[in-house]
Amino acid sequence: MNYEPIIGLEIHVQTKTKSKMFCGCSTDYFGSDPNTHTCPTCLGLPGALPVPNRHAIDLCVKIALALNCGIRTESKFDRKNYFYPDLPKGYQITQYDKPFGENGFVEYDVNGETKKVRITRVHQEEDTGKSLHNGTETLLDYNKSGVPLVEIVTEPDFRSGEEVSAFARRLRQILRYLDASDADMEKGQMRIEPNISVRTPGKKGLPDYKVEVKNIASISVLDKVVNLEVARQTASITKGNTPIQETRGLVDMSGKTVSQRTKETEMDYRYFPEPDIPPITFEEGVIEEVRKSLPELPQEKKHRYISSLGMEPDIAETIVQDHSTARFFEEAIRDIKDTAIIAETSKWMVGEFAMLEKEHPDHKCTPAHLAELATLVHEKKITRTTAKEVLEICFSEGMPPGTVIKQKGLEKVSDESELEGLVDKVLEANPQAIEDVKQNPNAVMFLVGQVMKESKGQADAQVLKKLLEEKIG
Ligand SMILES: [Zn+2]
């Protein structure tokens, strides 16, 4: 029987602020010595008063709006009470019943199909410290304590690991487009917790259990975790067991998990309003202003590229993945009207340009250079082989393609009289190849390649082919 996976996500995102959520300590703690970014507030010392970080709240609202949430005009912070060594004050300041954002949705693409996940809520809270278990002792580092954290909760709308990871990638892009977080998962800036259960075919409603997997810091691991967990639960049900409600932790990067705790009922956190922070109010006008300030997000951008620029979906997807790539591309095509040249530019952008950029991130090629190159190729002024060479020179020297071509004499050679000498030379050197062509006309491409080499990639392949065919007869 095929059981249907039912998956929801909780995602924690550290937002990009200079100081922590409720104190002035710097958030730039990555790689610093333990406990060097702390003060009485983020150490949870008695009597220290929290002061909310305005910029962090603005970023949370921005994220909520980008995820199509409604924003409350009145909101508040609450205390979530529990004991853990990395939470010295005995409670976390979070938002319970009045989160900043609620009832949103996000669209993302899987295998050429657009899917939609509902967003339950987006709220602001603070990060905890970090426990380092070192054999027999536990060390505590409070540098991370009090760093602004936005929690995003989705409805259980996902039906596969593929959907979950496609959404996670899109969400990470959105956070970066908004400049709300670097969402660097290796640095713990985005952590994902899937809630997974499986449903018997034909059944309606949600299963009466779910398995939560804690703190996943890689999208490829997330995909593996979901697939392994769905398989584990399916096997358990097939054997006649009922999976239990539990929390599991990651064992290693293969996606294997182990049970950490089983909870029959929801832990009682005895939430109550944070008495040291007054309620937060937003005016409608302010919310509208933030909404208007949102950039075009990757999903809309991709669909615009496809519908109004006629771009291939895979190329559009590759360009929108990175905000700076999309900006570079849009700058390049700003003054181009011809969609064929736009298409040529997009292909160079995701092909040679992307490859070279990986090797030389500090290159000198400008959007105008790329546009000029694509135009020259489109107008058949240079061959593709030459264009690659020109692009490399643009990268290292920052010279416009036109100038490179003139200086190096790289124009495409279509003139038959100029090419004839090279053709004769190659024919003379390859008598066997001539016989091959007589047997199989397609073998002429070998000779085309040989003459092309002689011309250093500058010959017009069409003209070459015609000349060779005429000469061989
Ligand atoms: Zn502090």
Side-chain angles (χ1 to χ4, degrees):
M1 215 178 339
N2 275 330
Y3 290 90
E4 186 184 25
I6 308 283
I7 310 154
L9 297 180
E10 284 171 26
I11 301 126
H12 285 98
V13 177
Q14 283 186 350
T15 45
K16 220 169 156 178
T17 56
K18 286 200 169 69
S19 56
K20 291 189 181 179
M21 190 60 222
F22 300 113
C23 62
C25 292
S26 162
T27 53
D28 189 15
Y29 65 85
F30 196 79
S32 306
D33 286 339
N35 300 308
T36 50
H37 291 57
T38 55
C39 72
T41 302
C42 56
L43 284 173
L45 301 188
L49 285 174
V51 178
N53 181 330
R54 175 63 200 261
H55 184 51
I57 293 175
D58 286 348
L59 289 178
C60 183
V61 169
K62 213 170 163 183
I63 294 170
L65 284 169
L67 306 185
N68 300 298
C69 287
I71 305 295
R72 280 178 185 278
T73 47
E74 271 183 44
S75 191
K76 67 177 170 68
F77 283 102
D78 299 277
R79 288 187 182 181
K80 178 184 182 180
N81 300 281
Y82 66 98
F83 169 78
Y84 202 75
D86 66 15
L87 185 75
K89 60 181 184 284
Y91 60 86
Q92 179 190 31
I93 303 179
T94 178
Q95 295 191 286
Y96 182 52
D97 54 345
K98 290 186 171 179
F100 287 142
E102 284 172 301
N103 302 323
F105 67 89
V106 173
E107 289 186 334
Y108 62 99
D109 295 333
V110 182
N111 298 327
E113 207 186 314
T114 299
K115 304 254 177 173
K116 189 174 186 172
V117 58
R118 291 169 295 158
I119 303 293
T120 318
R121 56 188 282 148
V122 174
H123 72 249
Q124 180 72 61
E125 55 187 37
E126 55 176 338
D127 212 341
T128 59
K130 191 176 179 179
S131 313
L132 301 140
H133 307 289
N134 157 17
T136 52
E137 47 182 14
T138 294
L139 302 170
L140 290 160
D141 176 7
Y142 293 110
N143 282 348
K144 186 164 78 75
S145 171
V147 166
L149 208 57
V150 167
E151 181 170 332
I152 299 159
V153 182
T154 80
E155 291 292 308
D157 290 343
F158 301 104
R159 296 291 172 267
S160 69
E162 217 178 10
E163 287 182 8
V164 169
S165 28
F167 164 76
R169 275 193 291 273
R170 189 59 95 221
L171 177 66
R172 187 171 57 183
Q173 291 157 10
I174 293 172
L175 295 165
R176 290 175 178 167
Y177 267 61
L178 296 174
D179 203 21
S181 172
D182 290 332
D184 184 338
M185 297 182 76
E186 279 182 20
K187 288 186 182 168
Q189 292 169 348
M190 176 168 157
R191 288 132 35 195
I192 305 176
E193 298 177 351
N195 284 295
I196 308 161
S197 46
V198 297
R199 179 161 66 186
T200 315
K203 278 221 170 152
K204 291 234 161 65
L206 295 174
D208 53 6
Y209 76 95
K210 61 185 178 190
V211 173
E212 183 182 355
V213 183
K214 295 304 268 183
N215 279 336
I216 300 174
S218 146
I219 292 176
S220 62
V221 173
L222 172 69
D223 187 37
K224 290 177 196 160
V225 164
V226 169
N227 292 330
L228 284 177
E229 190 52 32
V230 167
R232 193 187 65 83
Q233 292 177 21
T234 303
S236 169
I237 296 176
T238 310
K239 276 190 222 150
N241 302 323
T242 312
I244 46 168
Q245 177 111 355
E246 62 179 329
T247 301
R248 298 178 71 88
L250 204 60
V251 177
D252 55 36
M253 300 300 268
S254 73
K256 247 176 79 180
T257 59
V258 65
S259 184
Q260 285 181 332
R261 58 174 188 268
T262 53
K263 45 180 180 183
E264 293 302 320
T265 51
E266 196 63 32
M267 203 156 113
D268 186 5
Y269 292 113
R270 222 172 59 78
Y271 284 95
F272 64 84
E274 166 60 56
D276 292 333
I277 304 175
I280 312 273
T281 54
F282 295 106
E283 292 188 13
E284 284 289 355
V286 174
I287 299 171
E288 270 324 296
E289 244 169 66
V290 181
R291 194 193 306 276
K292 275 191 211 133
S293 77
L294 295 179
E296 185 184 34
L297 295 169
Q299 185 76 1
E300 331 162 29
K301 206 182 256 311
K302 175 182 174 182
H303 288 274
R304 176 170 65 83
Y305 285 176
I306 296 170
S307 61
S308 64
L309 302 181
M311 204 184 284
E312 289 167 30
D314 287 352
I315 294 183
E317 178 67 45
T318 309
I319 292 178
V320 304
Q321 274 170 16
D322 180 56
H323 199 195
S324 62
T325 305
R327 266 195 300 245
F328 191 100
F329 172 71
E330 288 183 18
E331 173 70 26
I333 62 161
R334 203 183 49 199
D335 299 322
I336 304 179
K337 298 277 177 294
D338 186 339
T339 50
I341 301 178
I342 293 175
E344 188 68 50
T345 313
S346 70
K347 283 177 193 152
W348 282 91
M349 184 86 219
V350 301
E352 287 299 316
F353 182 90
M355 252 160 55
L356 284 171
E357 196 176 40
K358 233 179 233 167
E359 289 167 34
H360 314 283
D362 297 321
H363 63 84
K364 294 178 182 162
C365 180
T366 67
H369 294 161
L370 182 71
E372 190 185 339
L373 186 85
T375 309
L376 289 165
V377 173
H378 175 76
E379 290 169 350
K380 299 196 163 42
K381 300 242 170 74
I382 49 172
T383 64
R384 283 178 188 280
T385 317
T386 306
K388 285 180 191 173
E389 201 184 323
V390 172
L391 189 61
E392 277 178 38
I393 298 170
C394 288
F395 261 64
S396 58
E397 318 207 350
M399 224 193 288
T403 314
V404 176
I405 292 162
K406 263 195 205 118
Q407 276 193 6
K408 314 239 167 195
L410 293 171
E411 290 93 348
K412 179 151 120 181
V413 184
S414 314
D415 187 39
E416 294 189 17
S417 57
E418 270 186 65
L419 293 173
E420 228 175 334
L422 294 178
V423 168
D424 289 340
K425 188 175 156 199
V426 166
L427 285 177
E428 230 178 272
N430 294 283
Q432 182 56 47
I434 297 171
E435 291 310 309
D436 293 347
V437 177
K438 286 180 182 158
Q439 301 297 319
N440 170 17
N442 289 335
V444 77
M445 293 319 290
F446 167 76
L447 291 168
V448 171
Q450 295 302 306
V451 189
M452 189 62 93
K453 234 187 240 168
E454 288 287 328
S455 78
K456 299 195 172 62
Q458 283 172 255
D460 183 321
Q462 295 296 327
V463 177
L464 277 188
K465 189 163 173 264
K466 186 178 138 259
L467 271 177
L468 281 160
E469 282 166 352
E470 278 172 8
K471 290 202 180 252
I472 297 170

